[in-house]
Amino acid sequence: MKWVLIVIGVIVVLIAAAGFGFYKIYSFGEAELAPIADQALKDMDAGEHQAVYDRSAQALRDATPLADLVATMERRKQVLGAYQEIASTQGVNMKVGDGQGTVATLSVRLRYEKGETDGVFHFVKDDDVWQLSGFDLEAPDDASSAPTEKAPQDG
């Protein structure tokens, strides 16, 4: 009977440790990635598209001409108004391996002057620096979806 209790105790501790680890990874990812997404949207809203483009991952630059990014974000601004903030974080998914290094997605609810919308940001870690590798913002009927490539880790 004593061994059964010990085994059950070990299982409970392992489950608790896994849950705590998941929480820490989620919190860590959110703390690192949300400010990058927020700053990219603030910069594009201020017309600093080139700066965002320059610090983004090569995958985004290869998939999306700067002119397309500018046109899409300007249409979105006309429809939604000025970007205000990330209203809430809905999820973080981090993955290591698969020949792509460390990749992550961040799902958020975004607040604009005229309303809210959902967004998913894709990141890749290059030399210990997270870079934006793509994003999808839910678009009202008047603004087309961003022409950025979804990160290859989504599947």
Side-chain angles (χ1 to χ4, degrees), residues 34-61:
I36 297 169
D38 184 60
Q39 191 61 53
L41 290 171
K42 286 178 180 175
D43 288 349
M44 287 188 283
D45 200 60
E48 299 293 326
H49 301 92
Q50 183 70 53
V52 173
Y53 200 73
D54 290 345
R55 67 179 182 255
S56 294
Q58 189 64 46
L60 185 144
R61 294 191 307 264

Side-chain angles (χ1 to χ4, degrees), residues 6-126:
I6 291 173
V7 169
I8 290 173
V10 167
I11 291 171
V12 168
V13 167
L14 290 174
I15 290 171
F20 181 73
F22 175 77
Y23 170 77
K24 292 301 282 181
I25 287 171
Y26 175 83
S27 298
F28 180 72
E30 178 182 1
E32 271 195 290
L33 301 174
I36 297 169
D38 184 60
Q39 191 61 53
L41 290 171
K42 286 178 180 175
D43 288 349
M44 287 188 283
D45 200 60
E48 299 293 326
H49 301 92
Q50 183 70 53
V52 173
Y53 200 73
D54 290 345
R55 67 179 182 255
S56 294
Q58 189 64 46
L60 185 144
R61 294 191 307 264
D62 289 345
T64 309
L66 178 59
D68 290 355
L69 177 66
V70 171
T72 297
M73 296 310 290
E74 289 302 315
R75 281 192 307 273
R76 187 174 313 284
K77 188 173 180 179
Q78 288 174 353
V79 173
L80 293 171
Y83 169 73
Q84 294 180 337
E85 66 183 348
I86 294 177
S88 64
T89 301
Q90 299 168 333
V92 175
N93 183 6
M94 299 178 100
K95 198 164 116 178
V96 179
D98 294 342
Q100 299 170 22
T102 304
V103 294
T105 57
L106 172 72
S107 299
V108 294
R109 184 82 180 153
L110 303 169
R111 184 169 295 126
Y112 285 83
E113 185 178 32
K114 298 178 184 176
E116 292 187 357
T117 191
D118 292 319
V120 177
F121 293 83
H122 307 276
F123 299 91
V124 62
K125 200 167 200 177
D126 186 27

Side-chain angles (χ1 to χ4, degrees), residues 127-146:
D127 291 329
D128 282 337
V129 175
W130 285 108
Q131 294 180 330
L132 187 62
S133 62
F135 60 95
D136 268 329
L137 303 180
E138 188 177 285
D141 293 338
D142 305 43
S144 67
S145 186

